[in-house]
Amino acid sequence: ARHRRRDPPLGCQPWHGAAREALERCGALQRLCDAMAHAPSAPLIAAAAATVAALTAASREPAGVASHFAFTAAGFVVAGMLDHPSTLRLQLACCGAVHALARRSPALGETLATAGAAAACVGAMNRFRSAGASSSRLQAAACAALGALLPHAAAMRQLEEGGGLRLLLRAVAEHGSDSPADAAVSMCGWRAVLALLGAPGTASAADAAADAASPSPLIHSLTPTLAQAELLPLLWLSLRVHRSQPAVLCACAAALSALACEDARRAKLGRTDLFCSAERRGALQAIEAVEVLLPGVRDATLARTLCRASDALVAVAGSRGWLAPAELAALHASLRAAGAATVIESSDEHRRALRRLECAQELAAAAAARKRGARPSVVGQPPQPVQT
């Protein structure tokens, strides 16, 4: 009633916040658990799961804090998914609840994984693959839930048994249009792929990733053949189709950065089983993707991610002499422009990427000078002729 009396132009967010606080004070989670325990019908569980997701996602409790009733609700949500596998509305609401609860605290995520939440999400993705907005919403919600669950070993095993990386890539490939629903599938799908690769998206640049003493990112179900045949072509497609969706671009760029940093680490160790930079054509294609995205970047997080990807890619391609001086100069100018547009010039990622490019330019200039029979010179100065 108070919400109805509120003048709509003034906004209703304060009343939504007050309603959530009132529901938390009166024990809404406990009442929802009681309802699901006494009347476990599909419509009731669907409505209760949607409410659990909304209350959990909007909770003002510190991250990592969860009540006893949140754990009870998690059990009822997973049980509902397993008992009503053919109800789309219930599966969609429960996937949203699994995502919200798993992000609430690691203990809740472990409870959900042990109860079989990842297997339930995989089953929902396999059953509801038809075209339509509802199917797209379910695929996006299931990918988001899997991404939140994958840090736990039980969820990782369940996903591997249900298809692993290929299941996530299939979901992204089957929803490849530029519609908002398919964009959500791409965003959540690539975030789940990133979680499966074992990289949180904030890894250091090539210097730290290529250090032989640093641990390798946990790469599951991914071989260079699978990466080059399926993952990378789909990644380039998502970058091209969703260029106007910053959230999708951030997820795709984080996946590219994780693969590039792993390539730099393997190249430092002398290994040849690389993902993006196994050959000159693949490395140049990845660098071109970074260079195409940089001019339109207005998000600082995306700019930092692209700087990390550029640093790692140039570390491999530059050391092998695959980049011409003109290509290095163009990438250097794009990085400077992106740094100025997003105010990240002082960040470690930006400075490291620029320094990497400057070193690569010096090496390229030295190689060109040797071919012409002149002494290597500093970038920006004319080469000195060899005195005989």
Side-chain angles (χ1 to χ4, degrees), residues 26-362:
C26 71
L29 275 179
Q30 179 182 359
R31 307 305 172 199
L32 291 170
C33 292
D34 292 342
M36 288 188 284
H38 289 92
S41 63
L44 188 142
I45 292 178
T51 310
V52 167
L55 288 173
T56 305
S59 176
R60 296 186 179 182
E61 293 292 333
V65 176
S67 67
H68 162 74
F69 298 108
F71 287 90
T72 306
F76 282 122
V77 166
V78 177
M81 295 185 74
L82 298 176
D83 293 341
H84 304 279
S86 59
T87 306
L88 174 59
R89 179 169 173 262
L90 180 143
Q91 297 291 323
L92 175 60
C94 289
C95 285
V98 168
H99 176 236
L101 290 168
R103 287 177 58 87
R104 178 74 258 177
S105 77
L108 271 172
E110 185 65 32
T111 299
L112 287 163
T114 305
C121 292
V122 169
M125 292 178 68
N126 287 323
R127 280 189 298 273
F128 301 100
R129 293 177 56 187
S130 60
S134 297
S135 175
S136 298
R137 290 176 60 197
L138 183 134
Q139 296 288 331
C143 287
L146 288 172
L149 290 169
L150 281 177
H152 306 283
M156 185 73 75
R157 288 194 300 269
Q158 293 166 29
L159 178 59
E160 292 292 342
E161 293 170 359
L165 180 63
R166 281 191 166 89
L167 174 73
L168 301 174
L169 295 180
R170 187 194 69 190
V172 176
E174 290 180 349
H175 299 80
S177 71
D178 59 350
S179 65
D182 286 356
V185 177
S186 294
M187 178 189 68
C188 297
W190 285 115
R191 286 180 177 175
V193 169
L194 187 64
L196 185 62
L197 296 179
T202 57
S204 58
D207 284 321
D211 188 358
S214 63
S216 169
L218 191 59
I219 303 289
H220 288 273
S221 302
L222 184 62
T223 61
T225 302
L226 176 60
Q228 294 160 15
E230 298 184 33
L231 190 149
L232 289 174
L234 187 59
L235 184 60
W236 308 144
L237 178 63
S238 296
L239 288 170
R240 185 170 62 252
V241 172
H242 302 293
R243 288 191 60 183
S244 61
Q245 303 286 340
V248 182
L249 294 182
C250 282
C252 294
L256 175 60
S257 176
L259 294 173
C261 288
E262 175 65 8
D263 276 356
R265 189 197 68 84
R266 294 185 178 192
K268 183 73 172 181
L269 297 175
R271 295 171 58 177
T272 58
D273 53 337
L274 307 184
F275 300 120
C276 305
S277 307
E279 55 184 14
R280 184 176 185 274
R281 179 182 177 184
L284 294 182
Q285 188 174 17
I287 292 174
E288 181 183 358
V290 172
E291 191 174 356
V292 167
L293 291 175
L294 281 171
V297 171
R298 295 297 180 268
D299 180 76
T301 301
L302 177 57
R304 289 191 181 94
T305 304
L306 291 174
C307 286
R308 286 193 294 271
S310 170
D311 184 15
L313 291 168
V314 173
V316 179
S319 64
R320 299 183 178 184
W322 289 346
L323 297 173
E327 295 170 334
L328 291 168
L331 184 57
H332 191 277
S334 298
L335 276 175
R336 283 197 174 278
T342 55
V343 198
I344 63 165
E345 297 98 328
S346 60
S347 67
D348 292 339
E349 296 92 344
H350 191 254
R351 289 200 302 265
R352 192 178 288 111
L354 288 178
R355 180 56 187 156
R356 177 80 63 183
L357 278 169
E358 291 166 2
C359 293
Q361 286 178 285
E362 292 175 4

